[in-house]
Amino acid sequence: MQFKNSTHKRRFMSAIKPMDQKDKTQMAVAFLLTATKALWDRSRICMINNKILVHRIHLNHTSEEVYVLYCAAKDIAFGTTLISVSDLVDEELLSRELYRLIFTALEIKRFGVGIVIPSPQEKKK
């Protein structure tokens, strides 16, 4: 599992410090929303009681990448289908990088944040 880049990793690690890291949905949402500075700047102001309130995020004048990441985060948070399975496999609609980020977020939702952040026990090995 990979982050978009080292800046994404730092942004994510900082964002989840006050959050309940056992909340797989919030971790997956945070993973996507921290992928770009523009999206995180709009998202972090919607964090209340250490939870990101996705429905309060307002997007205007954003890039296609930011919009796709937001839609994927919203789908994970609420079980909606803004992005369909056919969208995920359409190379003209979704870059490999966005595809990888979305699927990493889905794995975080299923398995937990440990797939992108090694536990202290794993670091010692």
Side-chain angles (χ1 to χ4, degrees):
M1 305 320 112
Q2 297 176 349
F3 290 89
K4 182 177 180 180
N5 53 39
S6 60
T7 304
H8 176 207
K9 184 176 182 177
R10 281 192 303 274
R11 200 180 294 123
F12 175 74
M13 297 298 288
S14 176
I16 67 167
K17 277 183 184 176
M19 299 172 74
D20 176 5
Q21 293 182 20
K22 292 179 183 171
D23 185 337
K24 296 174 186 176
T25 299
Q26 279 289 304
M27 294 298 101
V29 166
F31 180 82
L32 291 172
L33 297 179
T34 57
T36 70
K37 181 181 182 326
L39 184 54
W40 183 236
D41 286 346
R42 292 167 192 246
S43 303
R44 69 177 166 198
I45 60 173
C46 298
M47 187 182 278
I48 297 174
N49 295 327
N50 300 320
K51 286 192 175 235
I52 302 168
L53 304 180
V54 179
H55 66 282
R56 290 193 175 181
I57 299 169
H58 294 287
L59 299 183
N60 54 359
H61 309 294
T62 60
S63 69
E64 192 173 297
E65 176 187 37
V66 166
Y67 183 72
V68 169
L69 290 166
Y70 168 75
C71 287
K74 197 169 183 181
D75 283 349
I76 288 171
F78 301 117
T80 54
T81 54
L82 299 170
I83 298 176
S84 70
V85 173
S86 60
D87 292 338
L88 290 173
V89 296
D90 188 336
E91 292 180 32
E92 291 182 20
L93 292 176
L94 205 63
S95 69
R96 285 180 184 239
E97 180 178 61
L98 285 175
Y99 176 88
R100 185 177 45 80
L101 290 171
I102 291 168
F103 271 87
T104 299
L106 290 171
E107 289 180 321
I108 291 170
K109 181 173 169 87
R110 183 170 183 183
F111 301 111
V113 75
I115 66 163
V116 291
I117 303 169
S119 68
Q121 293 85 3
E122 290 176 7
K123 287 180 184 178
K124 290 179 183 177
K125 292 180 182 179

